[in-house]
Amino acid sequence: MLKGKTAVITGGTRGIGKAIARKFAENGANVAVIATSDSEGARETVRDLQNLGVNARLYTCDVRDAQMVDSVKEEILADFEKVDILVNNAGVTRDNLLAGLSIIDIDDVIDINLKGTIFMTRAFIREFVKNRGGNVINISSVVGLMGNKGQANYAASKAGVVGLTKSVAKEYGRKNIRCNAIAPGYIETDMTRKLSDEKKGEIAGAIPMTKLGKPEDVANTALFLASDLSGYITGEIIKVDGGMYV
Ligand code: NDP
């Protein structure tokens, strides 16, 4: 479905990003995977992708740093002929009730989840304009649509990603560039692994489908958005949440 395409995926060596990288590679895409460090785990993930017969490479970048983002873009463009798809997946939580949030908790979440997504998109959009086409997929969250107690910083960052997504869709639709977002509900990854079993049970009980989602559930939607099957869809936010926010 993505044969001959190249995708850049931030946070592509763990959790949802890793599932997206694998799904894309299984469907023929070359993948440039960005992680914060060149760890053995990250290298192993990339080797697994290469074993699927595609060109896969690991890059390190802190998406908070606009200069690093611009230079990793140059590195990627030097290694791959052309980039077709950008998946802004990197994200963190620093949860607390609003009054208890430290400045660092606020800065980290806004800088990585929102500013990082803006920096990456800004860097690659020029390339997409030059190529007369491109596809941006942002990973937001249902929390960005509905708000959540204890996640004011995170919800604000993810709501910002929704505004960014719609604006990019409006600005660049005429240039054959699509921009959509996925809003996952609770997905089983390192991010949610820290929740107690009791809390997970409580969350599952509030979801119509009575279970947490899997990274593959998000990856399948990312594949749809990356492919021509969604060719006339832009500016859309697709929830993958088992009905959590209906
Ligand atoms: P994980 O905690 O498993 O992975 C987070 C990823 O983000 C890691 O790959 C990490 O890289 C990367 N990352 C963190 N900080 C930076 C940074 N400064 N620069 C570059 N990369 C960074 O999270 P998930 O897989 O669960 O989450 C992926 C996305 O999905 C996030 O945006 C999250 O907000 C969103 N989401 C997740 C939900 C869930 O329930 N899990 C629900 C809704 C949305 P490294 O491996 O190098 O540390």
Side-chain angles (χ1 to χ4, degrees):
M1 218 181 261
L2 301 180
K3 199 156 177 50
K5 306 260 188 210
T6 295
V8 175
I9 302 162
T10 64
T13 60
R14 284 200 287 131
I16 291 171
K18 180 176 176 176
I20 293 173
R22 187 164 181 93
K23 183 66 66 180
F24 282 14
E26 282 169 354
N27 280 273
N30 298 317
V31 280
V33 171
I34 296 179
T36 54
S37 71
D38 186 9
S39 65
E40 181 44 37
R43 284 199 294 268
E44 194 184 324
T45 299
V46 172
R47 278 196 297 273
D48 287 345
L49 297 172
Q50 288 164 345
N51 288 337
L52 294 168
V54 299
N55 186 1
R57 284 169 188 255
L58 176 65
Y59 299 86
T60 56
C61 174
D62 183 336
V63 296
R64 277 177 288 202
D65 183 330
Q67 275 185 341
M68 248 195 201
V69 165
D70 286 342
S71 57
V72 83
K73 179 202 77 172
E74 293 304 329
E75 274 179 64
I76 292 170
L77 291 179
D79 292 340
F80 294 85
E81 243 168 62
K82 170 170 170 276
V83 169
D84 307 280
I85 302 155
L86 167 65
V87 182
N88 287 307
N89 163 79
V92 295
T93 49
R94 303 279 187 266
D95 297 349
N96 210 331
L97 295 174
L98 183 62
L101 284 174
S102 69
I103 303 291
I104 292 175
D105 294 334
I106 297 167
D107 281 348
D108 274 356
V109 168
I110 300 292
D111 286 352
I112 296 170
N113 300 7
L114 179 55
K115 285 173 72 179
T117 302
I118 298 175
F119 291 156
M120 286 294 299
T121 309
R122 186 182 71 141
F124 280 94
I125 208 85
R126 295 171 189 150
E127 171 68 11
F128 293 161
V129 169
K130 213 167 67 197
N131 295 342
R132 297 197 164 82
N135 193 336
V136 182
I137 300 167
N138 294 325
I139 308 300
S140 177
S141 166
V142 280
V143 162
L145 305 175
M146 61 190 266
N148 197 21
K149 213 162 68 178
Q151 290 198 305
N153 53 348
Y154 182 75
S157 73
K158 294 298 188 179
V161 169
V162 169
L164 169 71
T165 303
K166 293 182 178 180
S167 302
V168 171
K170 286 188 174 182
E171 276 184 38
Y172 291 97
R174 70 182 59 197
K175 302 279 185 193
N176 191 32
I177 298 167
R178 298 193 290 122
C179 182
N180 293 289
I182 300 175
Y186 281 95
I187 307 295
E188 283 175 15
T189 67
D190 292 347
M191 192 175 268
T192 45
R193 213 155 279 141
K194 47 192 167 194
L195 298 170
S196 66
D197 284 347
E198 193 192 345
K199 184 74 189 163
K200 278 192 198 165
E202 204 181 287
I203 290 166
I207 297 172
M209 292 188 74
T210 66
K211 59 180 182 183
L212 275 68
K214 302 231 175 294
E216 291 69 29
D217 295 320
V218 181
N220 286 332
T221 307
L223 176 64
F224 167 69
L225 287 174
S227 78
D228 291 342
L229 288 177
S230 61
Y232 196 51
I233 298 178
T234 195
E236 195 52 76
I237 317 299
I238 301 184
K239 288 181 278 141
V240 179
D241 68 345
M244 183 178 156
Y245 182 43
V246 174

